[in-house]
Amino acid sequence: MDPSTDPDPESAPGPDEASPGLFDDLLSGEPIFENKEVLRPSYTPRRLPHREEQINNMATILVTALRGDTPSNILIYGKTGTGKTASAKFVSDELETTSQKYEVPCEVQYINCEVTDTQYRVLAQLANKFIDENVAYITEELERLDARRDDLDDGTASIEETAFDDREALDTRIENLEADREEFEPVPMTGWPTDRVYSTFFEAVDYRERVVVIMLDEIDKLVEKSGDDTLYNLSRMNSELENSRVSIMGISNDLKFTDFLDPRVKSSLGEEEIVFPPYDATQLRDILQHRSDIAFKPDTLSEDVIPLCAAFAAQEHGDARRALDLLRTAGELAERDRTENIHEEHVRRAQEKIELDRVVEVVRTLPTQSKLVLYAVILLEENGVHNINTGEVFNIYKRLCAEIDMDVLTQRRVTDLISELDMLGIVNAVVVSKGRYGRTKEMSLSVPLDETKSVLLADSRLGEVEDAQPFVQARFDDS
């Protein structure tokens, strides 16, 4: 062979190496998205179609903050994807912008209670935010006063121009500010008594004059995890604050969560209530059209894409978040296919992908006992058993427990776990009468078998089961 045509052995990729230009190749196609971020739940749009009434209600309540008064507390209700958080953040941004315009000290502090779900964490996060703000304010003020003092020292300004009676008063003010700055100690995320965290937060928020709206998103998660102590403390603060005022805006997916609150907290918290109804398919189309104009390159969507996304999401109680996820995922699938347009087929594939992702997440986070029950159902289906009954599932479940050294639950408890899997949409279970033999549950799998089995076997405990086949042969043994 001519050596000049022989490829350089050092430059040629080995069998396990990626070829050069891997990403160059992927980047060679035309992008479909102009701005993908507008399709994510974290994006706050400048316009929220079909939520004008709720936005105006919020603004009418919160406008009192711009007059230096305390706004009423607000509770916002609505199912997932009805625009609650996006609307509340939009109104909050407008409130802060207007407060700066009119030089009124007013601010909104946002907390996601699904993440920050204990009284300690909520108070610590708020305390540290106000401590940071106070330290920044003090530092700025010290720089201004130090400059004034320098002007006095070099004779370029007189004491009358400083708003202080004399040089000693200016020095005292600087010393006090420096002492205040030293005293502000950040709250650690664990380790302090809760009453110390509360008093630190209280002193930080009351350090100077301001109206504060505390937005507690998914407030029901906070109450569910740690009771209503946080809400009780926050709702009664104003009677003790001297310089500042605090208002609470709670956002909840659960319309009944206030049933569990102390009556005093409930009456204080629910001074104003705003309900966000689900979107219908027409409203979802408007939302998707508005976002898609910003999200995609021109002429990217075929005409049936938005109506189909809206129709799928309308079936999910009018969930705009689901509709936006669908549209974004359809775009990503089209990009991977190297096509220039998004078609109906991409939306249908996106629907399947999102549903599978949901199933995978639900199955992955099931308790081990529920996973064993589900694995028993899968083993039966794999072996062609139809109309699977509770007794058959229980027999295999017992053997799986023995195999991995787990406690065996009673058949009644296993029946309860099957009902929970049915509620989650993982199995389809119906009660059937067996005449004089009583009643039993018959079930079948409602999710893709292979993917679900893979998720279960990824659990280290279930992965210990070497060979489950013999268990299926024994399914008709006496229980």
Side-chain angles (χ1 to χ4, degrees):
M1 181 187 286
D2 180 354
S4 63
T5 60
D6 191 17
D8 178 1
E10 290 188 12
S11 63
D16 297 327
E17 294 176 40
S19 59
L22 172 67
F23 287 103
D24 294 333
D25 191 33
L26 292 170
L27 285 169
S28 63
E30 279 296 310
I32 280 177
F33 291 100
E34 190 77 61
N35 181 1
K36 194 192 289 189
E37 294 309 305
V38 304
L39 299 177
R40 297 195 186 278
S42 54
Y43 175 74
T44 304
R46 297 308 306 156
R47 181 174 156 265
L48 286 142
H50 308 291
R51 286 297 176 250
E52 292 82 3
E53 181 187 338
Q54 288 81 5
I55 285 169
N56 287 335
N57 285 349
M58 273 188 265
T60 305
I61 296 163
L62 293 173
V63 71
T64 54
L66 297 171
R67 301 188 183 112
D69 298 324
T70 313
S72 298
N73 295 325
I74 307 173
L75 272 183
I76 297 169
Y77 296 106
K79 290 187 175 179
T80 305
T82 51
K84 305 181 301 297
T85 303
S87 298
K89 284 186 171 180
F90 173 78
V91 173
S92 300
D93 290 347
E94 289 290 310
L95 181 68
E96 290 189 326
T97 302
T98 311
S99 75
Q100 289 163 12
K101 178 179 169 185
Y102 291 104
E103 297 183 350
V104 179
C106 173
E107 63 188 272
V108 180
Q109 295 291 353
Y110 173 84
I111 291 183
N112 183 340
C113 297
E114 189 167 31
V115 179
T116 310
D117 59 357
T118 65
Q119 178 173 214
Y120 188 105
R121 288 178 187 164
V122 169
L123 295 176
Q125 187 171 322
L126 287 169
N128 288 336
K129 281 182 177 178
F130 290 117
I131 286 169
D132 289 345
E133 284 183 14
N134 293 342
V135 168
Y137 163 77
I138 291 169
T139 302
E140 196 175 306
E141 190 69 0
L142 282 171
E143 286 173 0
R144 189 180 68 80
L145 294 178
D146 281 336
R148 281 291 183 189
R149 188 160 61 180
D150 291 343
D151 291 343
L152 286 175
D153 290 344
D154 60 23
T156 56
S158 63
I159 195 69
E160 289 76 16
E161 295 174 71
T162 65
F164 288 95
D165 292 337
D166 51 38
R167 170 61 184 264
E168 187 180 343
L170 174 59
D171 289 341
T172 302
R173 174 61 176 157
I174 288 172
E175 285 170 17
N176 289 342
L177 285 170
E178 286 172 340
D180 288 347
R181 185 166 61 179
E182 286 298 313
E183 281 179 17
F184 281 123
E185 180 185 0
V187 180
M189 290 321 287
T190 56
W192 282 12
T194 305
D195 56 354
R196 182 181 174 191
V197 182
Y198 177 76
S199 62
T200 303
F201 158 61
F202 185 95
E203 287 164 14
V205 76
D206 205 33
Y207 182 70
R208 58 196 180 98
E209 188 179 312
R210 57 186 147 201
V211 177
V212 177
V213 178
I214 298 172
M215 193 194 305
L216 298 171
D217 200 358
E218 310 230 27
I219 189 173
D220 45 299
K221 298 285 196 301
L222 175 64
V223 173
E224 189 182 305
K225 176 81 179 279
S226 43
D228 57 11
D229 288 352
T230 316
L231 303 182
Y232 179 73
N233 286 329
L234 293 176
S235 62
R236 60 190 282 274
M237 279 182 75
N238 287 325
S239 60
E240 298 169 17
L241 291 167
E242 293 180 7
N243 300 314
S244 60
R245 289 285 172 264
V246 169
S247 171
I248 300 167
M249 183 192 293
I251 303 173
S252 173
N253 297 332
D254 181 1
L255 276 72
K256 295 183 177 178
F257 98 95
T258 54
D259 295 351
F260 305 104
L261 297 178
D262 181 294
R264 292 168 298 174
V265 178
K266 187 174 178 178
S267 63
S268 168
L269 195 63
E271 292 172 336
E272 298 280 356
E273 296 187 350
I274 300 173
V275 177
F276 280 66
Y279 294 109
D280 60 31
T282 305
Q283 292 172 331
L284 288 169
R285 278 204 296 274
D286 289 346
I287 292 165
L288 290 174
Q289 190 63 59
H290 177 243
R291 297 279 187 103
S292 68
D293 290 343
I294 312 166
F296 296 104
K297 302 274 187 187
D299 304 320
T300 299
L301 304 182
S302 65
E303 60 183 24
D304 48 5
V305 165
I306 285 178
L308 187 57
C309 287
F312 276 138
Q315 293 167 8
E316 298 268 342
H317 64 251
D319 186 341
R321 195 175 297 177
R322 177 63 174 256
L324 293 164
D325 275 350
L326 261 175
L327 189 55
R328 190 191 77 250
T329 306
E332 288 170 347
L333 292 172
E335 238 175 19
R336 285 173 205 166
D337 287 351
R338 310 281 185 90
T339 62
E340 294 180 3
N341 299 97
I342 305 169
H343 299 286
E344 176 188 335
E345 158 217 355
H346 295 117
V347 178
R348 294 193 183 280
R349 278 169 51 202
Q351 170 77 347
E352 289 172 11
K353 181 180 185 300
I354 288 171
E355 187 55 32
L356 183 58
D357 289 347
R358 183 194 74 82
V359 169
V360 166
E361 185 57 24
V362 170
V363 172
R364 191 181 63 77
T365 54
L366 284 173
T368 305
Q369 290 283 6
S370 297
K371 285 181 177 177
L372 288 168
V373 172
L374 178 57
Y375 191 28
V377 176
I378 285 175
L379 289 170
L380 288 162
E381 283 225 350
E382 270 189 327
N383 283 270
V385 181
H386 302 291
N387 302 326
I388 301 164
N389 65 48
T390 312
E392 293 171 328
V393 172
F394 186 64
N395 278 332
I396 294 180
Y397 158 80
K398 285 192 301 183
R399 287 166 172 76
L400 289 171
C401 286
E403 186 77 7
I404 64 170
D405 201 22
M406 282 286 289
D407 293 338
V408 178
L409 301 177
T410 63
Q411 186 160 341
R412 179 184 287 261
R413 181 70 188 113
V414 168
T415 304
D416 291 341
L417 294 180
I418 290 168
S419 298
E420 288 172 17
L421 292 172
D422 184 24
M423 282 175 56
L424 290 167
I426 295 171
V427 302
N428 179 34
V430 290
V431 177
V432 294
S433 172
K434 294 292 184 183
R436 61 196 180 93
Y437 296 107
R439 299 190 310 164
T440 186
K441 271 198 166 121
E442 289 188 349
M443 71 210 75
S444 58
L445 206 60
S446 302
V447 292
L449 189 148
D450 291 340
E451 289 87 345
T452 308
K453 184 179 178 183
S454 297
V455 176
L456 289 176
L457 294 179
D459 183 313
S460 57
R461 296 295 300 275
L462 271 71
E464 292 172 16
V465 180
E466 292 294 333
D467 180 15
Q469 200 58 38
F471 305 159
V472 184
Q473 311 310 321
R475 69 181 183 275
F476 295 117
D477 289 359
D478 290 335
S479 57

